[in-house]
Amino acid sequence: MTRRVAIGLVSLLALGASGYAYVTKDQLQSTVPTTDALTPRAGEPAPPPADDGAEDILLVGSDARTDAQGNALPARMLRQLRTEANNGAVNTDTMILLRVPKNGGKPSAVSIPRDTWTAIPGRGQAKINSAYGIAKAHFAQALRGQGERDQAKVERDSDTEGRRVLVQAVQDLTQVRIDHYAEINLLGFYLMTEALGGVKVCLNHATEDKDSGANFRRGEQTVSGGEALSFVRQRKNLPRGDLDRIVRQQAFLSSALHQVLSAGTLTSPGTMTGLMDAVHRSLTLDPGLDLLQFAQQAKGIASGDLAFATIPVVTANGRSEDGQSIVQIDLKAVREFVAGLAGRTAAPSSPQAPAGGGSGSGAAPGAAPLLRDTPGVPCVN
């Protein structure tokens, strides 16, 4: 679900690059919900050392069926999002560690596959995308047991607990101290792609998937709203499953950033108003993350050739002892790779295909030849 992270970053980029947000700075910062996901509780293990060579922002895409204030989305909106109610369950199918080296080196956006099998605080080994949801569910149950009847409050407070456990899991996995946290939900992705008028994407082959609602032709096309959700949600009928989905998501982000910087997005009052509304309704930050400073940082990242990467993977077709389909990793290799992005150690090469050129995703034997990328729009599977 890097789609939501991608478009949230694009929105902040647009606001910062245009200077529009400075006109409404107090309104913008004061109306975005915050969450204290970074402070360990008494008795919990200390986080990794703060001086790890980079400023590290964890960007998260949540599939919550609520807005940022904890209010349930109506059935009509869920249909537009091509999804349905799920009894409050939440998964974080997108996790991107944005590493900005303090030595001026090239920033990196590192994807963590949702099925990565790793240690979850308080739970043992599990898929990393379950960390948020399980902690949230347990905390919500405890709140209701204490007599809390305000459902929106239960959602907000249990979300905070889910975020704290997710941050701990990512820190344990990478041995990187998370400096800031930013999360965007399903509603935000929908609103922001609509405000942008869609994002150009390119597929090497026609494809469809009933589970995600994907039904796309070969070649370049523009997607927005529910269709854009389907584009980056599709996992079935891709040669490498989740790993190809990550490549798609990274290509989507690359294209969206290129579009914001090169088109008339920044001069359209209607577009900027739509992006502001989406940020208010769907983005959650840690209290220490200055929204406009982050927007300006995002502008610098985009113009400075952001590098996309995925943590090293042993196999994307692993099985846990209880029979779950998992992504298996070598913990030492992951930590060395992530540390290397801040220039601390030599990083081993990632086995993942690059987000970008059509050759990055590969082609099935006998398939049509891969398409050639156009400026800012990489062709992928």
Side-chain angles (χ1 to χ4, degrees), residues 80-132:
Q80 289 178 290
L81 297 175
R82 301 189 180 186
T83 190
E84 57 190 14
N86 63 350
N87 298 319
V90 174
N91 285 313
T92 52
D93 287 345
T94 293
M95 290 149 284
I96 297 178
L97 182 62
L98 182 60
R99 302 217 76 192
V100 184
K102 294 178 180 178
N103 63 6
K106 188 175 184 177
S108 301
V110 186
S111 293
I112 301 173
R114 67 174 200 163
D115 291 342
T116 299
W117 193 250
T118 190
I120 306 298
R123 189 170 175 222
Q125 295 288 311
K127 295 180 181 181
I128 197 167
N129 77 326
S130 70
Y132 186 130

Side-chain angles (χ1 to χ4, degrees), residues 312-332:
V313 167
V314 173
T315 177
N317 300 310
R319 287 284 171 183
S320 64
E321 291 184 359
D322 60 357
Q324 297 182 66
S325 174
I326 62 172
V327 172
Q328 291 179 316
I329 58 169
D330 179 313
L331 194 58
K332 182 174 182 289

